[in-house]
Amino acid sequence: MMNDPRGKDASATHGAYLAIREKILTGDLPAGQKLKIERLREMLNTGASPVREALSLLTSDLLVERIDQRGFRAAPANKANFEEILTLRCVLEDMALRRSIERSTRTWEDRLVLAHHHMTRATDQGTAAFEEAHKTFHMTLLDNASLAMLERYCSQLYDLNIRYRYLAARGAGYRRRDVSGEHRAILDAALEGDADRASARLLDHYRLTGDYLVAELDDL
Amino acid sequence: MMNDPRGKDASATHGAYLAIREKILTGDLPAGQKLKIERLREMLNTGASPVREALSLLTSDLLVERIDQRGFRAAPANKANFEEILTLRCVLEDMALRRSIERSTRTWEDRLVLAHHHMTRATDQGTAAFEEAHKTFHMTLLDNASLAMLERYCSQLYDLNIRYRYLAARGAGYRRRDVSGEHRAILDAALEGDADRASARLLDHYRLTGDYLVAELDDL
DNA sequence: GAGTCAATTAATATCGATATTTTATATGAG
DNA sequence: CTCATATAAAATATCGATATTAATTGACTC
């Protein structure tokens, strides 16, 4: 009955949440598209209630819009939106990273080193694995700030950004630049407790990727 | 069948959303409390589906937490959370206000003056009316930035803050300070296009209220 | 008596069917 | 031919009942 590749069989709602989320992020469900319950229901082999609830939850993530009495649609994507995401990320991650470094501990340093190492290892293991390790690294940079809402916003913005990467190049070619060198530079600065340098490197990292993406997104 | 005081009879979900939201903001449903479907269902005279969906939507607003397979609870409230809200508001509203002023137009100025005027008028008409006019004024200050997500975050944070006002003083006594003078000062600076002064006044406004609230919240 | 495990209770999550509302289609008047 | 209006089709929203899962209670061992 449950032919989900992953072993975990949490609730049907959670399964639907993950599946729909993935489809939106990768562009399988294009931005702006109407999301009909019935269609999703049969795509995911589940009932209407879980689908509906999953969509409500995706609303929190700004990946789905809901209009009362007329259903759900995948959040629209456009250049202005992308630029807003970039701006907000720069401001919020700057704040979070500085505070993380300020409160640095050995434990955090350890987690950071590990997250970075796992990311370098994951380059071989397919994009999905790398994607996850990459996010973990970036979130670890921020999580020592111990500001739950700020973390949540950053995580949200990170995810929204993924979608634009897929839009620009269908996910391929992301590692074209010397991304691993940039990661290394951020890590080193953070470990040394140099907040200014770490933040500068992190923001460069985003702005470089951002410029690259903007170039591909002219048509939107 | 619909004995809702307000004439509007949108969806049952929307009605439940507004009702539960109100109860959480005012403390009628205390922070951290388990929210059982059955209980809410009978409180609101509606079915389980609308309640469930309303709770999912309130999750977006960070007013409700959802744990898979074990239901919903009102988001917890504590001093650290309050301080995080205050910090984030200061950073985000500063950004939004500056950009609003930067892009100032006659139309926006007009809307601002009107929103301010309506707020001063609403002081007589009960807290609910004032509450709404107050939020409209603050959001109008920001909305000329035309950054949809930023606005959303600010609106969210504004609402979360309301709850702490109720927690500190059960909603009363908010207008004790010279709040109207502070509003006036923000308005004037914004109209003159003086972003630095406007931002300084706005942040003072929040920090003053913040300090007042923190004093009352020691126990949390 | 403290802790573990089974049986019971309570709550959540899900299904399938129905009612409501919106959207699309077609019909007729000006 | 355009616009408005009524009709038909499709989709959303809601209900009531059931299946699953978590929390509680109580019996039993050590």
Side-chain angles (χ1 to χ4, degrees):
Chain A
M1 189 194 282
M2 264 277 152
N3 48 5
D4 188 25
R6 284 174 279 256
K8 287 289 218 57
D9 61 334
S11 61
T13 295
H14 190 242
Y17 170 83
L18 291 177
I20 298 173
R21 185 191 127 104
E22 189 71 11
K23 283 183 191 301
I24 293 177
L25 287 182
T26 61
D28 194 358
L29 287 171
Q33 177 158 111
K34 185 86 209 298
L35 302 173
K36 297 183 191 171
I37 307 292
E38 178 61 18
R39 191 171 290 282
L40 291 172
R41 204 194 60 64
E42 62 195 26
M43 266 179 109
L44 308 175
N45 268 353
T46 183
S49 311
V51 168
R52 187 158 255 282
E53 193 153 332
L55 289 172
S56 290
L57 293 174
L58 284 163
T59 290
S60 313
D61 303 335
L62 298 174
L63 285 170
V64 166
E65 283 183 354
R66 184 200 133 103
I67 304 174
D68 197 54
Q69 224 83 333
R70 72 197 59 166
F72 301 85
R73 64 178 52 246
N78 52 60
K79 206 167 162 181
N81 179 246
F82 173 71
E83 283 168 350
E84 182 172 358
I85 289 168
L86 184 57
T87 305
L88 288 175
R89 288 183 89 191
C90 287
V91 173
L92 295 178
E93 296 212 13
D94 174 69
M95 180 176 8
L97 178 59
R98 285 176 186 278
R99 177 147 162 162
S100 262
I101 291 175
E102 202 172 277
R103 301 163 36 98
S104 180
T105 64
R106 287 288 155 82
T107 328
W108 179 60
E109 288 179 11
D110 291 351
R111 290 199 298 118
L112 210 47
V113 169
L114 267 181
H116 180 265
H117 177 64
H118 290 157
M119 181 174 62
T120 61
R121 278 298 165 88
T123 43
D124 312 330
Q125 298 173 270
T127 59
F130 176 76
E131 200 56 85
E132 193 183 326
H134 183 245
K135 178 167 180 180
T136 301
F137 173 65
H138 275 286
M139 293 311 296
T140 304
L141 279 167
L142 311 177
D143 71 10
N144 200 51
S146 291
L147 295 173
M149 298 179 59
L150 180 56
E151 262 180 65
R152 186 184 147 124
Y153 286 155
C154 290
S155 169
Q156 231 176 59
L157 291 164
Y158 180 97
D159 289 347
L160 288 171
N161 193 61
I162 294 177
R163 195 167 58 139
Y164 285 96
R165 288 215 308 270
Y166 277 93
L167 265 174
R170 288 180 184 166
Y174 170 57
R175 281 163 279 175
R176 229 179 279 167
R177 236 179 38 236
D178 180 23
V179 172
S180 88
E182 293 171 29
H183 285 145
R184 184 84 231 173
I186 299 167
L187 172 69
D188 289 342
L191 289 177
E192 285 176 32
D194 186 341
D196 288 336
R197 199 173 95 232
S199 173
R201 292 289 176 280
L202 181 67
L203 268 53
D204 281 351
H205 178 59
Y206 288 144
R207 293 208 176 100
L208 274 169
T209 312
D211 291 346
Y212 165 71
L213 290 184
V214 164
E216 311 273 326
L217 287 175
D218 276 333
D219 46 333
L220 285 179
Chain B
M1 192 191 284
M2 264 278 152
N3 48 6
D4 188 25
R6 284 174 277 255
K8 286 289 218 57
D9 61 334
S11 61
T13 295
H14 189 242
Y17 171 83
L18 291 177
I20 298 173
R21 184 190 127 105
E22 188 72 10
K23 283 182 192 301
I24 293 178
L25 287 182
T26 61
D28 195 356
L29 287 171
Q33 177 156 110
K34 183 92 212 296
L35 301 173
K36 298 184 190 171
I37 307 291
E38 179 60 18
R39 191 171 289 282
L40 291 171
R41 205 194 58 65
E42 60 196 27
M43 266 179 108
L44 306 175
N45 267 354
T46 184
S49 312
V51 167
R52 187 158 254 283
E53 193 153 332
L55 289 172
S56 289
L57 292 174
L58 283 163
T59 290
S60 314
D61 303 335
L62 298 174
L63 285 170
V64 166
E65 283 182 355
R66 184 200 132 103
I67 304 174
D68 199 53
Q69 225 83 329
R70 70 196 62 167
F72 301 87
R73 62 178 52 245
N78 52 59
K79 206 166 161 182
N81 179 246
F82 173 72
E83 283 167 351
E84 182 173 359
I85 290 168
L86 183 57
T87 305
L88 288 175
R89 287 184 89 191
C90 287
V91 173
L92 295 178
E93 296 213 12
D94 174 70
M95 179 176 10
L97 178 59
R98 285 175 186 279
R99 177 145 161 164
S100 262
I101 291 174
E102 203 172 276
R103 302 164 36 99
S104 179
T105 64
R106 288 289 155 82
T107 328
W108 179 60
E109 290 179 10
D110 292 351
R111 288 198 300 118
L112 210 48
V113 169
L114 268 180
H116 182 266
H117 178 64
H118 290 158
M119 181 175 60
T120 61
R121 277 299 164 88
T123 44
D124 311 330
Q125 297 172 271
T127 58
F130 177 77
E131 199 57 83
E132 193 183 326
H134 183 245
K135 178 167 180 180
T136 301
F137 173 65
H138 275 285
M139 293 310 298
T140 304
L141 280 167
L142 311 178
D143 71 10
N144 200 52
S146 291
L147 295 172
M149 297 179 59
L150 181 56
E151 262 180 66
R152 186 184 147 122
Y153 286 156
C154 290
S155 168
Q156 233 176 58
L157 291 165
Y158 180 97
D159 289 347
L160 289 171
N161 193 60
I162 293 177
R163 196 166 59 139
Y164 285 95
R165 288 214 307 269
Y166 276 93
L167 265 175
R170 290 179 183 166
Y174 171 56
R175 279 163 280 176
R176 228 179 277 168
R177 235 181 38 238
D178 182 24
V179 173
S180 90
E182 294 171 29
H183 285 145
R184 183 85 232 173
I186 300 166
L187 173 68
D188 289 343
L191 290 177
E192 284 175 33
D194 186 341
D196 289 336
R197 200 173 93 231
S199 173
R201 292 288 177 279
L202 181 67
L203 268 51
D204 281 351
H205 178 59
Y206 288 143
R207 293 206 176 102
L208 275 169
T209 312
D211 291 345
Y212 165 71
L213 290 185
V214 164
E216 311 272 328
L217 287 176
D218 276 333
D219 47 332
L220 284 179

